[in-house]
Amino acid sequence: MPPILPDFSNPVKLKYAKLGYQYLVNHILYLLWIPVMVGILIEVLRLGPDEVLSLWRSLHFDLVQILCSSFLIVLIAIVYFMSKPRTIYLVDYACYKPPVICRVPFSTFMEHSRLILKDNPKSVEFQMRILERSGLGEETCLPPSIHYIPPKPTMEAARGEAELVIFSAMDSLFKKTGIKPKDIDILIVNCSLFSPTPSLSAMIINKYKLRSNIKSFNLSGMGCSAGLISIDLARDLLQVHPNANAVVVSTEIITPNYYQGNERAMLLPNCLFRMGGSAILLSNRRSHRRSAKYRLVHVVRTHKGVDDKAYRCVFEEEDKEGKVGINLSKDLMTIAGEALKSNIATIGPLVLPASEQLLFLLTLVGRKIFNPKWKPYIPDFKQAFEHFCIHAGGRAVIDELQKNLQLSAEHVEASRMTLHRFGNTSSSSLWYELGYIEEKGRMRRGNRVWQIAFGSGFKCNSAVWKCNRTIKTPVDGPWVDCIDRYPVHIPEVVKL
C-alpha cells in the first residue's frame, strides 16, 4: 500500500542540521570558553585553599607599578569612551495621511487620462495596463491641482501641496513627541523634483519660527532613496553636535511633475507616484535612551553613477513636444539588481551572523578554486533581521527583492500593503511601511529592521535599526482607520 503522506524525514533532518550548524558557528567563542573555564575551576579545586592562598602571597606588587597600571587602565577607558560614536536614537516619526477628497480611484484616473490624452488612445491603453498590474489600490491620492482637467501645475499649487504635506507631518510629530520647535537643532528636508526658492527648509523655519542658529539643509534631485541619505547626513551631524535634536522631512511634491505628454517611458510615473510625506525626530541625547523607539545601527550607501546606463536610467528630460517628465529606462530593474548586490556586499559582513558569512566564504572559495559553475550562496538575511522595509517603488521592485533575498510573503507584506494603500510616495514610503508593522503590533524590543531604498543616479541605500522598546499599537497615524482590512489579496491583474 503506498504511503498516504510524503516522507518528511529528510527535510526535517536537514532543517535541524542547519539549525545546529548555525548555533555552533554563532556561539563558537562561548562554546570554547566553557571547557577553558571548567579546566581552570578543576585546577583551583585540585590545589586547595592553602595552596591558592600561598600562591597569592607569593606575588609582589610595587606601588609604582600599581599606580602606572591604574593610570593606563583609566587612560584607555577615557580614550575608548571619547572615540566611541554617539548613539543615534529615533525618538518617533509621523506620516502624512491625505484627505479623502484627494482620493483617485482607478475609474477617476482612467477617465482623466482619456480626457487629457484624447488624441492618443494608445497612451491611455498603456496607462490602463500599467495600472492593472501596478499593485496600487483604490484609495491612493493625488494633490488637488492634478484633479483638474487639464491639470494646473502652477508654482502656487506646488507650494500649497508642499505646505499641506510637510506642515501636517510636522504638526503630528510635535504632538507625538512633545518637542517644541525651539528644541530643533538640525533640520534636513529632502524632495527630489521640487526645489523652489526660498527652499522648503526655509519654508519650515518661517512657519515654525525655528532658531536663527539652526543648521538647515535642503536635498534635491536624489530620488526615492534620499530619505536614507538624509538619515545618514543627520547621523554625521549628530556625531559632532552633542546633546542635539535633528528633524528629517522626506517627501515628493507631485503637482509640478505630472507628465502630460505621450511618451510611454514618461507616463509610467503618473501611474505609480502618489501624495505622501514623513517627519522623523532623531536625537543623541541620553534622556531619550529609554523613550526612543529605535537605535540607528548602520547606514550603507551605494552609488552606481559612474556607469552611463545607471546614471540615465531615471532621467528628467523633455519629450519631442517639449513637455518635461521622468524617463524610466527598461534597464531599471537590472541596474537596481546590480546596485543591490553592491550594497549587500557591504552591509552583509556588518549584520550577518558568522554561520552565514562562513557559508558564503566557503562557496566563494569553492567557485574560484574547484568549480565556477557552482551556484553562488545567497546569505539568509532572515538570520539578521526580523523586519524588512523595501521601498514601495512598484510591484516589480518588491517581487525582485523578495525573490533575490528569498523572503516570505510576510516579510514583504508591509511593502506590498503600503504600495496598495498609499502608492509610491517616494522617499517617505519606508516610514509608512514601518508604521504598518507597528500598527500590526509586530515590533518587539530587540527586533532589527532593514530599510532598503533605490534612487536616481543610480543609488541603493540601506539603514539598519534596532528596536529600543516593545512598540505599543499606535492610536494615531495613517493606518489607524484601515489596518483591520489589511493584509488584502492583490491579484496579478485587476481588470478595469
Side-chain angles (χ1 to χ4, degrees), residues 54-108:
S54 62
L55 182 64
W56 172 260
R57 287 173 178 172
S58 65
L59 299 174
H60 297 285
F61 295 101
D62 184 74
L63 181 61
V64 176
Q65 290 178 336
I66 294 173
L67 290 174
C68 290
S69 301
S70 302
F71 176 77
L72 183 62
I73 292 170
V74 171
L75 181 64
I76 292 171
I78 291 172
V79 170
Y80 171 76
F81 285 109
M82 288 185 68
S83 60
K84 187 180 179 183
R86 289 189 174 92
T87 303
I88 308 302
Y89 299 105
L90 192 163
V91 181
D92 213 333
Y93 62 96
C95 296
Y96 168 70
K97 183 184 177 183
V100 178
I101 58 171
C102 293
R103 193 168 68 93
V104 185
F106 293 155
S107 57
T108 303

Coordinates of all heavy atoms in Angstrom, one line a residue, residues 54-108:
S54 N 48.8 30.6 49.3 CA 50.2 30.8 49.3 C 50.7 31.3 48.0 O 51.6 32.1 47.9 CB 50.9 29.5 49.6 OG 50.6 28.5 48.6
L55 N 50.0 30.9 46.9 CA 50.4 31.4 45.6 C 50.1 32.9 45.4 O 50.8 33.7 44.9 CB 49.6 30.7 44.5 CG 49.8 31.0 43.0 CD1 51.3 30.6 42.7 CD2 48.8 30.3 42.1
W56 N 49.0 33.4 46.0 CA 48.6 34.8 46.0 C 49.6 35.6 46.8 O 50.0 36.7 46.4 CB 47.2 35.0 46.6 CG 46.8 36.4 46.8 CD1 46.8 37.1 48.0 CD2 46.4 37.3 45.8 NE1 46.4 38.4 47.8 CE2 46.1 38.6 46.5 CE3 46.2 37.2 44.4 CZ2 45.7 39.7 45.8 CZ3 45.7 38.4 43.7 CH2 45.5 39.6 44.4
R57 N 50.1 35.1 48.0 CA 51.0 35.8 48.8 C 52.4 35.9 48.2 O 53.2 36.8 48.5 CB 51.1 35.2 50.2 CG 49.9 35.4 51.1 CD 49.9 34.6 52.3 NE 48.7 34.8 53.2 CZ 48.5 34.1 54.3 NH1 49.3 33.1 54.6 NH2 47.4 34.4 55.0
S58 N 52.7 35.0 47.3 CA 54.0 35.0 46.7 C 54.1 36.1 45.6 O 55.2 36.4 45.2 CB 54.3 33.6 46.0 OG 53.3 33.4 44.9
L59 N 53.0 36.6 45.2 CA 53.0 37.7 44.2 C 53.4 39.0 44.9 O 52.9 39.3 46.0 CB 51.7 37.9 43.5 CG 51.2 36.6 42.7 CD1 49.8 36.9 42.2 CD2 52.1 36.4 41.6
H60 N 54.3 39.8 44.3 CA 54.8 41.0 44.9 C 54.3 42.2 44.1 O 54.6 42.2 42.9 CB 56.3 41.0 45.0 CG 56.9 39.9 45.9 ND1 56.8 40.0 47.3 CD2 57.5 38.8 45.6 CE1 57.3 38.9 47.8 NE2 57.7 38.1 46.8
F61 N 53.6 43.1 44.7 CA 53.1 44.3 43.9 C 53.9 45.5 44.4 O 53.9 45.8 45.6 CB 51.6 44.5 44.2 CG 50.8 43.3 43.6 CD1 50.3 42.3 44.4 CD2 50.5 43.3 42.2 CE1 49.5 41.3 43.9 CE2 49.8 42.2 41.7 CZ 49.3 41.3 42.5
D62 N 54.4 46.3 43.5 CA 55.1 47.5 43.8 C 54.1 48.7 43.6 O 53.3 48.7 42.7 CB 56.3 47.7 42.8 CG 57.1 48.9 43.2 OD1 57.8 48.9 44.2 OD2 56.9 49.9 42.4
L63 N 54.2 49.7 44.5 CA 53.3 50.8 44.5 C 53.3 51.6 43.2 O 52.3 51.9 42.6 CB 53.6 51.8 45.7 CG 52.6 53.0 45.8 CD1 51.2 52.5 46.0 CD2 53.1 53.9 46.9
V64 N 54.5 51.7 42.6 CA 54.7 52.5 41.4 C 54.0 51.7 40.2 O 53.3 52.2 39.4 CB 56.1 52.7 41.0 CG1 56.3 53.3 39.7 CG2 56.8 53.6 42.1
Q65 N 54.2 50.4 40.2 CA 53.5 49.5 39.2 C 52.0 49.6 39.3 O 51.3 49.7 38.3 CB 54.0 48.1 39.4 CG 55.4 47.8 39.0 CD 55.8 46.4 39.3 OE1 55.2 45.7 40.1 NE2 56.9 45.9 38.6
I66 N 51.5 49.6 40.5 CA 50.0 49.7 40.7 C 49.5 51.0 40.2 O 48.5 51.0 39.5 CB 49.7 49.5 42.2 CG1 50.0 48.1 42.7 CG2 48.2 49.8 42.4 CD1 49.9 47.8 44.1
L67 N 50.2 52.1 40.5 CA 49.8 53.4 40.1 C 49.8 53.5 38.5 O 48.9 54.1 37.9 CB 50.6 54.5 40.7 CG 50.4 54.7 42.2 CD1 51.4 55.7 42.8 CD2 49.0 55.2 42.5
C68 N 50.9 53.1 38.0 CA 51.1 53.1 36.5 C 50.0 52.3 35.8 O 49.4 52.7 34.8 CB 52.5 52.6 36.1 SG 53.8 53.8 36.5
S69 N 49.8 51.1 36.3 CA 48.7 50.2 35.8 C 47.4 50.9 35.9 O 46.6 50.8 34.9 CB 48.7 48.9 36.5 OG 50.0 48.3 36.3
S70 N 47.1 51.5 37.0 CA 45.8 52.1 37.2 C 45.6 53.3 36.2 O 44.5 53.5 35.6 CB 45.6 52.6 38.6 OG 45.7 51.5 39.5
F71 N 46.7 54.1 36.1 CA 46.6 55.2 35.2 C 46.4 54.8 33.8 O 45.6 55.4 33.0 CB 47.9 56.0 35.3 CG 48.0 57.2 34.3 CD1 47.3 58.4 34.6 CD2 48.8 57.1 33.2 CE1 47.4 59.4 33.7 CE2 48.9 58.1 32.3 CZ 48.2 59.3 32.5
L72 N 47.1 53.7 33.4 CA 46.9 53.2 32.0 C 45.5 52.7 31.7 O 44.9 53.0 30.7 CB 47.9 52.0 31.8 CG 48.0 51.4 30.4 CD1 48.4 52.5 29.3 CD2 48.9 50.2 30.3
I73 N 45.0 52.0 32.7 CA 43.6 51.5 32.6 C 42.6 52.7 32.4 O 41.7 52.6 31.6 CB 43.2 50.6 33.8 CG1 44.0 49.3 33.7 CG2 41.7 50.3 33.8 CD1 43.9 48.5 35.0
V74 N 42.8 53.7 33.3 CA 41.9 54.9 33.2 C 42.1 55.6 31.9 O 41.1 56.0 31.2 CB 42.2 55.8 34.4 CG1 41.5 57.2 34.2 CG2 41.8 55.2 35.7
L75 N 43.3 55.7 31.4 CA 43.6 56.4 30.1 C 42.9 55.6 28.9 O 42.3 56.3 28.1 CB 45.1 56.5 29.9 CG 45.5 57.2 28.6 CD1 45.1 58.7 28.6 CD2 47.0 57.1 28.4
I76 N 43.1 54.3 28.9 CA 42.5 53.5 27.9 C 40.9 53.7 27.9 O 40.3 53.8 26.9 CB 42.9 52.0 28.0 CG1 44.4 51.9 27.7 CG2 42.0 51.1 27.1 CD1 44.9 50.5 28.1
A77 N 40.4 53.7 29.1 CA 38.9 53.8 29.2 C 38.4 55.2 28.7 O 37.4 55.3 28.0 CB 38.5 53.6 30.7
I78 N 39.2 56.2 29.0 CA 38.8 57.6 28.6 C 38.9 57.7 27.0 O 38.0 58.2 26.4 CB 39.8 58.6 29.2 CG1 39.5 58.8 30.7 CG2 39.6 60.0 28.5 CD1 40.5 59.6 31.5
V79 N 40.0 57.1 26.5 CA 40.1 57.2 25.0 C 39.0 56.4 24.3 O 38.4 56.8 23.3 CB 41.5 56.6 24.6 CG1 41.6 56.4 23.1 CG2 42.6 57.5 25.1
Y80 N 38.7 55.2 24.9 CA 37.6 54.4 24.4 C 36.3 55.1 24.3 O 35.6 55.2 23.3 CB 37.5 53.1 25.1 CG 36.3 52.2 24.8 CD1 36.3 51.5 23.6 CD2 35.2 52.2 25.6 CE1 35.2 50.7 23.2 CE2 34.1 51.5 25.3 CZ 34.1 50.7 24.1 OH 33.0 50.0 23.7
F81 N 35.9 55.7 25.5 CA 34.6 56.3 25.5 C 34.5 57.6 24.7 O 33.5 58.0 24.2 CB 34.2 56.6 27.0 CG 33.8 55.3 27.7 CD1 34.6 54.8 28.7 CD2 32.6 54.7 27.4 CE1 34.2 53.6 29.4 CE2 32.2 53.6 28.1 CZ 33.0 53.0 29.1
M82 N 35.7 58.3 24.6 CA 35.7 59.5 23.8 C 35.7 59.3 22.3 O 35.1 60.0 21.5 CB 36.9 60.4 24.2 CG 36.9 61.1 25.5 SD 38.3 62.1 25.8 CE 37.9 63.5 24.7
S83 N 36.3 58.2 21.9 CA 36.3 57.8 20.5 C 35.1 57.0 20.0 O 34.8 56.9 18.8 CB 37.6 57.0 20.1 OG 37.6 55.8 20.9
K84 N 34.3 56.5 21.0 CA 33.1 55.8 20.7 C 32.1 56.7 20.0 O 31.7 57.7 20.5 CB 32.6 55.1 21.9 CG 31.4 54.2 21.7 CD 30.9 53.6 23.0 CE 29.8 52.7 22.8 NZ 29.2 52.2 24.1
P85 N 31.5 56.3 18.9 CA 30.5 57.1 18.2 C 29.3 57.3 19.1 O 28.9 56.4 19.9 CB 30.1 56.3 17.0 CG 31.2 55.3 16.8 CD 31.8 55.0 18.1
R86 N 28.7 58.5 19.0 CA 27.5 58.8 19.8 C 26.3 57.9 19.3 O 26.2 57.7 18.1 CB 27.1 60.2 19.7 CG 28.0 61.2 20.4 CD 27.4 62.6 20.5 NE 28.2 63.5 21.3 CZ 29.2 64.2 20.8 NH1 29.5 64.2 19.5 NH2 29.9 65.0 21.6
T87 N 25.5 57.4 20.2 CA 24.3 56.6 19.8 C 23.3 57.6 19.3 O 22.9 58.6 19.9 CB 23.8 55.8 21.0 OG1 24.8 55.0 21.6 CG2 22.6 55.0 20.6
I88 N 22.7 57.2 18.1 CA 21.7 58.0 17.5 C 20.3 57.3 17.7 O 20.2 56.1 17.3 CB 21.9 58.2 16.0 CG1 23.4 58.7 15.8 CG2 20.9 59.1 15.4 CD1 23.7 60.0 16.4
Y89 N 19.4 58.0 18.3 CA 18.1 57.4 18.6 C 17.0 58.0 17.6 O 17.0 59.2 17.3 CB 17.7 57.8 20.0 CG 18.6 57.2 21.1 CD1 19.5 58.0 21.8 CD2 18.6 55.8 21.4 CE1 20.3 57.5 22.7 CE2 19.4 55.3 22.3 CZ 20.3 56.1 23.0 OH 21.1 55.6 24.0
L90 N 16.1 57.1 17.2 CA 14.9 57.6 16.5 C 13.8 57.7 17.6 O 13.3 56.7 18.0 CB 14.5 56.6 15.4 CG 13.5 57.1 14.4 CD1 13.5 56.2 13.2 CD2 12.1 57.1 14.9
V91 N 13.5 59.0 18.0 CA 12.6 59.2 19.1 C 11.2 58.8 18.6 O 10.5 58.0 19.3 CB 12.6 60.6 19.5 CG1 11.7 60.9 20.7 CG2 14.0 61.0 19.9
D92 N 10.7 59.3 17.5 CA 9.4 59.0 16.9 C 9.4 59.6 15.5 O 10.3 60.3 15.1 CB 8.3 59.5 17.8 CG 7.1 58.6 17.7 OD1 6.9 57.9 16.7 OD2 6.3 58.6 18.7
Y93 N 8.3 59.3 14.8 CA 8.1 59.8 13.4 C 6.6 59.9 13.1 O 5.8 59.3 13.8 CB 8.8 58.9 12.4 CG 8.2 57.5 12.3 CD1 7.2 57.1 11.4 CD2 8.6 56.5 13.3 CE1 6.7 55.9 11.4 CE2 8.1 55.2 13.2 CZ 7.1 54.9 12.3 OH 6.5 53.7 12.3
A94 N 6.3 60.7 12.1 CA 4.9 60.9 11.7 C 4.8 60.8 10.2 O 5.7 61.3 9.5 CB 4.4 62.2 12.3
C95 N 3.7 60.3 9.7 CA 3.5 60.2 8.3 C 2.2 61.0 7.9 O 1.2 60.9 8.7 CB 3.3 58.7 7.8 SG 4.8 57.8 8.0
Y96 N 2.2 61.6 6.8 CA 1.1 62.4 6.4 C 0.0 61.5 5.8 O 0.3 60.6 5.0 CB 1.5 63.4 5.3 CG 0.4 64.1 4.5 CD1 -0.5 65.0 5.2 CD2 0.1 63.8 3.2 CE1 -1.5 65.6 4.5 CE2 -0.9 64.4 2.5 CZ -1.7 65.3 3.2 OH -2.8 65.9 2.5
K97 N -1.3 61.7 6.2 CA -2.4 61.0 5.6 C -3.2 62.0 4.8 O -3.8 62.9 5.3 CB -3.2 60.4 6.7 CG -4.4 59.5 6.2 CD -5.3 59.0 7.3 CE -6.4 58.3 6.7 NZ -7.4 57.8 7.7
P98 N -3.3 61.8 3.4 CA -4.0 62.7 2.6 C -5.5 62.6 2.9 O -6.0 61.6 3.3 CB -3.8 62.1 1.2 CG -2.5 61.3 1.3 CD -2.6 60.7 2.7
P99 N -6.2 63.7 2.7 CA -7.7 63.7 2.9 C -8.4 62.9 1.9 O -7.9 62.7 0.8 CB -8.0 65.2 2.8 CG -7.0 65.8 2.0 CD -5.7 65.0 2.3
V100 N -9.7 62.5 2.2 CA -10.4 61.7 1.3 C -10.7 62.4 0.0 O -10.8 61.7 -1.1 CB -11.8 61.3 2.0 CG1 -12.6 60.4 1.0 CG2 -11.5 60.5 3.2
I101 N -10.8 63.7 0.0 CA -11.1 64.4 -1.3 C -10.0 64.3 -2.3 O -10.3 64.6 -3.5 CB -11.4 65.9 -1.0 CG1 -10.2 66.6 -0.3 CG2 -12.7 66.1 -0.1 CD1 -10.3 68.1 -0.1
C102 N -8.8 63.9 -1.9 CA -7.7 63.7 -2.9 C -7.7 62.3 -3.4 O -6.8 62.0 -4.2 CB -6.4 64.1 -2.2 SG -6.2 65.8 -1.7
R103 N -8.6 61.5 -3.0 CA -8.5 60.1 -3.5 C -8.7 59.9 -5.0 O -9.5 60.7 -5.6 CB -9.7 59.3 -2.7 CG -9.6 57.8 -2.9 CD -10.5 57.1 -1.9 NE -11.9 57.4 -2.3 CZ -12.6 56.6 -3.1 NH1 -12.1 55.4 -3.5 NH2 -13.9 56.8 -3.4
V104 N -8.0 59.0 -5.6 CA -8.0 58.8 -7.0 C -8.3 57.3 -7.3 O -7.4 56.5 -7.4 CB -6.7 59.2 -7.7 CG1 -6.8 59.1 -9.2 CG2 -6.3 60.6 -7.3
P105 N -9.6 56.9 -7.3 CA -9.9 55.5 -7.7 C -9.4 55.3 -9.2 O -9.2 56.2 -9.9 CB -11.4 55.4 -7.6 CG -11.8 56.6 -6.8 CD -10.8 57.7 -7.1
F106 N -9.4 54.0 -9.6 CA -8.9 53.7 -10.9 C -9.8 54.3 -12.0 O -9.4 54.8 -13.0 CB -9.0 52.1 -11.1 CG -8.0 51.4 -10.3 CD1 -8.2 50.1 -10.0 CD2 -6.8 52.0 -9.9 CE1 -7.2 49.4 -9.2 CE2 -5.9 51.3 -9.1 CZ -6.1 50.0 -8.8
S107 N -11.2 54.3 -11.7 CA -12.1 54.9 -12.7 C -11.8 56.4 -12.9 O -11.9 56.8 -14.0 CB -13.5 54.7 -12.2 OG -13.7 55.2 -10.9
T108 N -11.6 57.1 -11.8 CA -11.3 58.5 -11.9 C -10.0 58.8 -12.7 O -9.9 59.6 -13.6 CB -11.2 59.2 -10.5 OG1 -12.4 58.9 -9.8 CG2 -10.9 60.7 -10.6

